[in-house]
């Protein structure tokens, strides 16, 4: 029996412009069990990244509720949500968000520094090696290619052994070989540590490796497929 680690009910997200109000998400509900891997798919502009931002507590929805790791996000202020993210949540975004003045290795161990934990440099190095960046530990992000920066961001997300990992197109900028490597790493983490995975992807093969695939269109979930049923 596994508990729900992520729960969303009736999420609606609207943004106001000078002339109108735009509804980006409309009445989205979902539940993710501990250790489960779900894929969010859908065309560009469907609302995948917006949904992920709300599920991860980076923003609060106009309407509806999100419960993350047993915490009702709407009852928490920004600081409390930041603490929850820092302690238990891993992120990989479309943009890598590396700190430009820190080396690759420093970026990878940064989550431990932020949590005032002892720095496990060996683990940082091993993670960089596992994403194919052995020997690049002391390079700054500006000295790495886009794909290499993305791999540093992935290594960083794994550093704190998060309970839940949100990954938005984590392999979007990688060549096929490196992407495959990174995907294996993602699912290894998911299995070994029981990490729950919420993955936005355009890659049908990658989506199929998740336990469930949720399809978004125009801000609504239009389809939900359990991949276990077909295998
Ligand atoms: N702050 C904002 N203000 C206005 N419109 C926004 C804002 N954020 C997102 N949108 C719009 O909401 C829609 C959904 O955006 P979102 O980034 O969630 O899409 P997506 O499914 O992640 O697309 P992609 O696959 O291209 O990354 C888009 O039409 C986008 O232009
Ligand atoms: Mg997106």
């Amino acid at each position: 029996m596994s508990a729900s680690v992520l729960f969303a009910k009736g999420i609606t997200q609207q943004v106001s412009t000078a002339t109108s109000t735009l509804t980006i998400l409309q009445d989205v509900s979902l539940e993710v069990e501990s250790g489960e891997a779900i894929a969010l798919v859908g065309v560009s502009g469907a609302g995948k990244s917006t949904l992920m931002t709300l599920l991860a507590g980076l923003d609060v929805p106009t309407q509806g509720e999100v419960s993350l790791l047993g915490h009702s996000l709407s009852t928490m202020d920004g600081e409390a949500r930041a603490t929850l993210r820092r302690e238990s949540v891993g992120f990989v975004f479309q943009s890598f968000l590396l700190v430009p003045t820190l080396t690759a290795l420093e970026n990878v161990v940064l989550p431990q520094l932020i949590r005032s934990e002892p720095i496990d440099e060996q683990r940082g190095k091993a993670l960089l090696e596992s994403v194919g960046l052995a020997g690049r530990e002391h390079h700054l992000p500006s000295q790495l290619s886009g794909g290499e920066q993305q791999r540093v961001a992935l290594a960083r997300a794994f550093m704190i052994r998060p309970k839940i990992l949100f990954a938005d197109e984590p392999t979007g900028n990688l060549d096929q070989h490196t992407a495959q490597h990174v995907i294996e790493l993602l699912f290894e983490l998911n299995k070994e540590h029981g990490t729950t995975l919420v993955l936005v992807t355009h890659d049908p093969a990658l989506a199929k490796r998740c336990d469930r695939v949720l399809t978004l269109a125009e801000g609504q979930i239009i389809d939900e497929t359990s991949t276990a049923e077909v295998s």
Side-chain angles (χ1 to χ4, degrees):
M1 226 186 54
S2 49
S4 151
V5 293
L6 178 63
F7 176 83
K9 196 167 163 38
I11 298 185
T12 293
Q13 181 73 333
Q14 293 176 321
V15 289
S16 297
T17 63
T19 49
S20 63
T21 300
L22 196 67
T23 301
I24 305 177
L25 291 173
Q26 189 161 18
D27 197 22
V28 171
S29 298
L30 58 86
E31 197 169 349
V32 184
E33 311 258 289
S34 181
E36 199 180 11
I38 68 155
L40 294 175
V41 302
V43 297
S44 178
K48 306 180 296 295
S49 295
T50 304
L51 178 58
M52 181 165 279
T53 303
L54 297 173
L55 295 176
L58 290 162
D59 197 3
V60 284
T62 314
Q63 275 174 49
E65 274 182 46
V66 179
S67 167
L68 176 62
L69 300 167
H71 300 264
S72 172
L73 297 183
S74 57
T75 65
M76 298 162 78
D77 62 15
E79 199 168 320
R81 283 186 277 118
T83 302
L84 176 64
R85 287 197 304 272
R86 198 159 57 225
E87 285 173 358
S88 312
V89 181
F91 291 100
V92 186
F93 290 111
Q94 272 172 315
S95 51
F96 327 122
L97 304 179
L98 298 179
V99 180
T101 52
L102 298 181
T103 66
L105 182 59
E106 287 165 345
N107 266 286
V108 171
V109 300
L110 185 64
Q112 287 191 320
L113 199 69
I114 291 171
R115 302 200 309 180
S116 308
E117 275 180 7
I119 302 297
D120 186 348
E121 206 168 275
Q122 283 315 312
R123 178 171 166 80
K125 281 186 180 162
L127 281 167
L128 276 174
E129 195 181 332
S130 69
V131 295
L133 289 176
R136 310 299 293 271
E137 291 92 347
H138 304 299
H139 288 222
L140 294 171
S142 61
Q143 297 167 325
L144 299 168
S145 75
E148 288 166 348
Q149 291 179 49
Q150 192 159 25
R151 283 182 272 156
V152 174
L154 270 157
R156 180 182 56 185
F158 296 161
M159 191 67 203
I160 61 158
R161 298 183 172 90
K163 291 198 179 81
I164 184 164
L165 179 68
F166 292 94
D168 195 343
E169 289 285 349
T171 58
N173 293 318
L174 303 179
D175 65 82
Q176 217 179 348
H177 179 76
T178 312
Q180 194 58 39
H181 201 77
V182 160
I183 289 161
E184 296 308 329
L185 199 66
L186 264 176
F187 285 100
E188 241 169 66
L189 179 87
N190 176 234
K191 288 230 158 53
E192 274 177 25
H193 301 286
T195 308
T196 307
L197 185 61
V198 179
L199 178 65
V200 171
T201 181
H202 284 284
D203 179 352
L206 183 50
K208 250 191 237 158
R209 291 191 56 174
C210 295
D211 301 309
R212 259 190 306 150
V213 182
L214 306 183
T215 306
L216 275 174
E218 295 176 7
Q220 291 182 293
I221 294 177
I222 56 157
D223 186 57
E224 181 180 332
T225 310
S226 172
T227 54
E229 283 165 16
V230 288
S231 64

